[in-house]
Amino acid sequence: YQLLNIPARRVAIFGGTHGNEMSGITLVNLWIKNGKEIQRKGVETKPFITNPRAVEKCTRYVDTDLNRAFTTENLSAPSGDDLPYEVKRAQQINEIFGPKGSPDAYDVIFDLHNTTSNMGCTLILESSKDHFNLQMICPVLLTEHPLLKYSTSRSVAKHPIEVGPQPQGVLRSNIFESMRVCPLTIDGLCCVGLEFPPCSVDVFRVWDKMDYPRDTNGNIIAMVHPNLQDCDWEPLNPGDPMFQMFDGTTVRYEGVGTVYPTFINEAAYYEKQQAFVTTRRETLVAGAIKKA
Ligand SMILES: CC(=O)N[C@@H](CC(=O)O)C(=O)O
Ligand SMILES: [Zn+2]
């Protein structure tokens, strides 16, 4: 089998990519004050607030979604005062932690997010080719998709990663604590002498996004069906209820075969015309990892 060396020398932990997702913001601010919990021998770990103006206002973003702003177009735009705040910020972040796609980029970025959906603690990966050892006790969402790709903050790193979930502007102790274990995974990435055998990992690969039913003016005319609400990661089969129209009728899922919905009724996705994401289950084989 393939032996991979991943010399994770520089790891960044981002909070506040969305300024109303409180767990990551709180943790990163704690770690900026006192970094003991995240320091590891031979590794530079940098806690960083990515969107301070949105954090100050406790809003997702000020001008545009920072977690969609890391496009080549934005990153190469001539800098100027007329650029949206988050585009300027993306350029600065790319300078510090990138440049994206270059050998100088940080090895890993943990970008800490919250979701209003009932997803539990979730690791979101962008590539099935990142042979990290994924023997995690949480669901893995794989966003690798030819059309539904978006340009995230974490994509600046060579091996991007992220964690989740809770309501906007709220700090809940259970969610805070479940996110606090995130730096433990640094041990798996960085510590000299650690080895991982090859293993197989079940992931949920993004399949499609589903919008709410709308009238001709674009207004939402249904809610997520009670049978689907909070059922993230559970199977949705053809014929299963999906939406409850305001007139009381039920809209059923009509796709082909079983999907596993997630980000169900995520507050931040109303503006993105997205009621939930469907995924398909898939098994990935992760190569062995041997530390340099
Ligand atoms: C609720 C939320 O912000 N979720 C993240 C997911 C991700 O980072 O892939 C986002 O849409 O940017
Ligand atoms: Zn977020």
Side-chain angles (χ1 to χ4, degrees):
Y1 53 80
Q2 201 183 1
L3 267 183
L4 291 175
N5 272 328
I6 302 178
R9 300 273 168 265
R10 289 187 307 166
V11 176
I13 305 179
F14 287 177
T17 291
H18 296 130
N20 55 8
E21 297 175 8
M22 303 304 289
S23 302
I25 297 165
T26 310
L27 280 169
V28 164
N29 277 329
L30 281 174
W31 290 330
I32 288 171
K33 270 202 202 126
N34 181 354
K36 262 202 190 115
E37 222 175 301
I38 55 170
Q39 277 153 13
R40 299 292 184 278
K41 237 190 183 162
V43 188
E44 183 199 321
T45 39
K46 189 160 176 60
F48 189 80
I49 296 288
T50 41
N51 195 337
R53 276 182 57 187
V55 170
E56 201 179 313
K57 292 190 159 176
C58 196
T59 180
R60 184 171 173 90
Y61 55 81
V62 178
D63 292 332
T64 185
D65 194 336
L66 178 62
N67 216 22
R68 303 291 182 274
F70 290 76
T71 58
T72 24
E73 198 187 349
N74 279 346
L75 296 179
S76 59
S79 49
D81 285 343
D82 48 331
L83 286 178
Y85 170 70
E86 277 84 4
V87 174
K88 285 188 251 177
R89 208 48 203 156
Q91 293 183 344
Q92 293 163 358
I93 292 164
N94 189 47
E95 245 171 65
I96 304 171
F97 299 96
K100 184 169 167 172
S102 85
D104 287 339
Y106 265 57
D107 299 298
V108 176
I109 295 174
F110 291 98
D111 194 10
L112 307 178
H113 285 255
N114 290 126
T115 170
T116 62
S117 305
N118 187 30
M119 291 166 66
C121 192
T122 301
L123 179 69
I124 302 181
L125 287 183
E126 304 199 349
S127 164
S128 56
K129 278 150 209 90
D130 257 342
H131 287 225
F132 281 123
N133 188 289
L134 298 175
Q135 283 164 322
M136 300 284 217
I137 46 168
C138 64
V140 176
L141 176 64
L142 183 60
T143 59
E144 199 176 54
H145 189 288
L147 300 173
L148 300 179
K149 201 173 161 47
Y150 42 97
S151 306
T152 58
S153 315
R154 59 187 176 268
S155 67
V156 166
K158 292 172 190 156
H159 306 281
I161 288 180
E162 127 171 40
V163 197
Q166 107 205 287
Q168 300 177 335
V170 175
L171 189 60
R172 288 176 55 106
S173 51
N174 60 329
I175 302 300
F176 174 89
E177 291 303 339
S178 80
M179 192 178 270
R180 196 172 194 159
V181 304
C182 156
L184 295 179
T185 56
I186 301 174
D187 295 328
L189 299 173
C190 317
C191 290
V192 180
L194 271 180
E195 287 189 27
F196 296 100
C199 64
S200 61
V201 195
D202 284 333
V203 302
F204 296 87
R205 183 188 287 267
V206 167
W207 184 254
D208 210 355
K209 46 186 240 183
M210 307 292 289
D211 190 12
Y212 296 90
R214 290 172 192 272
D215 65 17
T216 45
N217 295 320
N219 298 313
I220 290 176
I221 50 171
M223 300 172 280
V224 167
H225 194 277
N227 289 22
L228 179 59
Q229 179 66 56
D230 299 327
C231 296
D232 300 71
W233 308 121
E234 288 173 30
L236 181 72
N237 291 301
D240 286 350
M242 189 165 61
F243 295 109
Q244 181 177 300
M245 304 291 282
F246 295 145
D247 68 11
T249 53
T250 294
V251 179
R252 291 168 189 280
Y253 179 63
E254 287 180 352
V256 181
T258 305
V259 290
Y260 297 82
T262 194
F263 277 122
I264 298 171
N265 209 0
E266 160 59 48
Y269 291 169
Y270 278 78
E271 68 174 33
K272 298 187 196 295
Q273 282 77 48
Q274 196 173 307
F276 60 92
V277 179
T278 63
T279 70
R280 301 249 180 201
R281 289 194 79 145
E282 190 176 306
T283 303
L284 293 182
V285 178
I289 295 177
K290 186 168 194 270
K291 309 321 289 182

